[in-house]
Amino acid sequence: MPAALALVSAVFVVGFEQMIQSKYGATGIIGLLLLTVGIKAKSPAVSSVGAVLLALLLTGPAL
């Protein structure tokens, strides 16, 4: 059962990354990557940079 859960999780992550890349381009993938790496490495600075980058992409047209 854990293998099936890992497979479903991997498919979800890849699908989410593809959605972000199709909507926000390479900058969205870099922001998502920084956020993920920062959380996994427990580095607040890296995760904050990723979160700010994604927030700027989301609010860009509104500003």
Side-chain angles (χ1 to χ4, degrees), residues 17-43:
E17 286 178 353
Q18 291 296 321
M19 183 185 71
I20 293 292
Q21 185 173 5
S22 68
K23 190 167 184 175
Y24 300 110
T27 310
I29 289 295
I30 291 170
L32 188 62
L33 179 70
L34 285 172
L35 181 64
T36 306
V37 168
I39 290 171
K40 295 235 182 221
K42 295 183 181 172
S43 172

